[in-house]
Amino acid sequence: MPVLYSLPDFLSGVVTREQYVRWLHRKAQAHVIRDRKRVTWPVTVSAYKTAIHAAVVASGGLDHYTGEPLNWAQISTYDNAASKAGRSAYKAGFALLPSVDHVSGDGDGYDFVICGWRTNDSKHDMSLADFVALCRRVVARHGHLSPA
């Protein structure tokens, strides 16, 4: 039987296949739970795992939006108790934790891209065009470039 969701080459020596598959399943499951409340089309954990795995492979280990290398060694290491104690300083240490971002797909459905938690948190539900426009306004406001 072929191995589903083989470990991408860039993760070899960083995480085990078991760690990766556990992370993949948990991300797919969380997105399915969220999307079943929001969309009218059917969503399944299996389909989301396949789509998220494809996004991971396509990422090459980099943040889709910034090109920064993601810290894959941090997957499944976030500690809620430590976060509560350390607050924003603790969370800042996870800026490059790989996260899954929804992007509009063809017709009904979503596609996914992989980006750092900080990027995903900043982008939120914005389209790429809206996110880039916001980033340009921030940079322009602080004198680094003119707004487009």
Side-chain angles (χ1 to χ4, degrees):
M1 174 185 262
V3 174
L4 291 178
Y5 315 119
S6 58
L7 188 66
D9 290 341
F10 63 84
L11 292 180
S12 182
V14 178
V15 297
T16 66
R17 180 181 176 277
E18 291 74 22
Q19 289 171 309
Y20 172 70
V21 171
R22 178 177 182 260
W23 173 86
L24 180 63
H25 180 78
R26 292 178 70 181
K27 294 297 137 188
Q29 195 169 39
H31 281 274
V32 164
I33 290 168
R34 173 192 143 164
D35 289 348
R36 283 187 177 154
K37 296 175 185 176
R38 294 179 163 198
V39 302
T40 58
W41 57 85
V43 294
T44 65
V45 172
S46 176
Y48 273 26
K49 280 168 76 170
T50 298
I52 293 168
H53 176 68
V56 170
V57 171
S59 79
L62 305 177
D63 184 303
H64 175 79
Y65 300 103
T66 68
E68 295 171 284
L70 296 172
N71 189 347
W72 288 90
Q74 287 185 316
I75 64 172
S76 300
T77 64
Y78 191 82
D79 182 307
N80 286 327
S83 177
K84 187 173 183 178
R87 302 167 49 109
S88 60
Y90 179 81
K91 186 177 176 183
F94 287 85
L96 294 174
L97 171 71
S99 68
V100 179
D101 185 30
H102 282 91
V103 294
S104 295
D106 295 330
D108 285 345
Y110 291 117
D111 286 329
F112 299 100
V113 296
I114 306 302
C115 60
W117 191 10
R118 171 189 58 207
T119 306
N120 203 354
D121 224 17
S122 300
K123 181 182 169 285
H124 194 50
D125 287 334
M126 286 184 267
S127 69
L128 177 57
D130 289 344
F131 181 53
V132 169
L134 173 64
C135 291
R136 287 182 182 279
R137 289 192 304 273
V138 169
V139 171
R141 168 78 169 101
H142 294 278
H144 300 285
L145 100 120
S146 59

